Amino acid sequence: MIDISKIDILNQKFSTSFFGYNKTEVDLFLQELANSMGQLAEENEDLQKQVETLSKTLEEYKGREVLLQNTLMTTQKMVDDIKANANQEAKNIVEEARIQAEKILRQAHERVERIQEDIRELERQRQHFEVKLKALIESHLKLLESNAVNSESSEGEGVEGLKAKGEG
């Protein structure tokens, strides 16, 4: 295909013959052809400029798309990291609470055990005291009974002695 410009068409000369083409019609046709080709060349140039502009715009959008995808991936990673950290922190808090609860429960059990041991010790002391008190009461009763017997015998001797003195 030969590149023919508007000027090439306008400068094109045809030979004429006796029965040749009508020169005016050929000239008019060539003029119209040159105008059409000129218009097509201008449109083609405009379209190429539009294609170039649109290509640049497309590249800008592709760059923005890549940037947005990277930002989205970074944001998603940050969200995932935050979730993972929050989950780990929650696990740590729960574990710490569990350990603290076990410690409190163990201390409570130890305190209950000490109180029960104190109760058992107080019970032993009470029983020991009761045994001693009972022994003391029994010994005092025996002493009182012994004093009562001695008193009666002294009184009996005294009454008999008086009777004997009175008789004598």
Side-chain angles (χ1 to χ4, degrees):
M1 180 173 176
I2 302 174
D3 285 335
I4 299 176
S5 68
K6 178 179 178 179
I7 295 175
D8 291 336
I9 294 171
L10 289 175
N11 290 332
Q12 179 68 41
K13 299 295 178 197
F14 297 96
S15 56
T16 56
S17 64
F18 184 67
F19 294 103
Y21 296 107
N22 181 338
K23 185 174 177 352
T24 307
E25 287 179 10
V26 170
D27 287 342
L28 279 173
F29 175 74
L30 290 175
Q31 182 64 40
E32 286 178 18
L33 185 61
N35 288 341
S36 291
M37 293 237 0
Q39 188 178 5
L40 287 174
E42 288 173 8
E43 285 178 15
N44 188 28
E45 188 177 326
D46 287 343
L47 289 173
Q48 284 184 355
K49 286 180 183 177
Q50 279 183 338
V51 166
E52 187 177 318
T53 302
L54 290 174
S55 292
K56 286 180 183 177
T57 304
L58 180 62
E59 288 302 316
E60 287 177 19
Y61 285 135
K62 284 182 179 180
R64 288 180 186 174
E65 180 184 19
V66 168
L67 181 64
L68 286 173
Q69 285 176 345
N70 290 340
T71 303
L72 182 61
M73 287 190 313
T74 302
T75 303
Q76 185 61 45
K77 185 178 182 327
M78 287 173 52
V79 167
D80 292 343
D81 289 347
I82 289 170
K83 282 182 181 178
N85 289 340
N87 284 336
Q88 186 60 44
E89 184 71 23
K91 286 178 184 177
N92 291 345
I93 289 170
V94 167
E95 181 63 19
E96 189 175 313
R98 185 190 61 75
I99 290 171
Q100 189 67 21
E102 285 177 359
K103 180 181 175 185
I104 290 169
L105 191 58
R106 186 178 61 251
Q107 289 173 343
H109 283 300
E110 288 171 359
R111 180 158 168 78
V112 165
E113 195 173 305
R114 282 193 308 271
I115 290 171
Q116 288 175 342
E117 183 59 35
D118 289 347
I119 289 171
R120 286 190 292 273
E121 179 60 29
L122 288 171
E123 184 64 29
R124 280 191 298 271
Q125 288 177 5
R126 183 183 65 85
Q127 288 174 355
H128 182 69
F129 177 75
E130 284 177 355
V131 167
K132 282 183 150 188
L133 183 60
K134 189 175 181 181
L136 181 65
I137 290 173
E138 287 174 0
S139 80
H140 279 261
L141 281 173
K142 285 181 185 175
L143 184 62
L144 286 173
E145 287 174 2
S146 160
N147 281 343
V149 169
N150 286 341
S151 262
E152 285 179 13
S153 355
S154 295
E155 282 180 16
E157 285 178 12
V159 170
E160 287 178 14
L162 286 176
K163 284 183 186 179
K165 281 185 185 181
E167 290 176 8

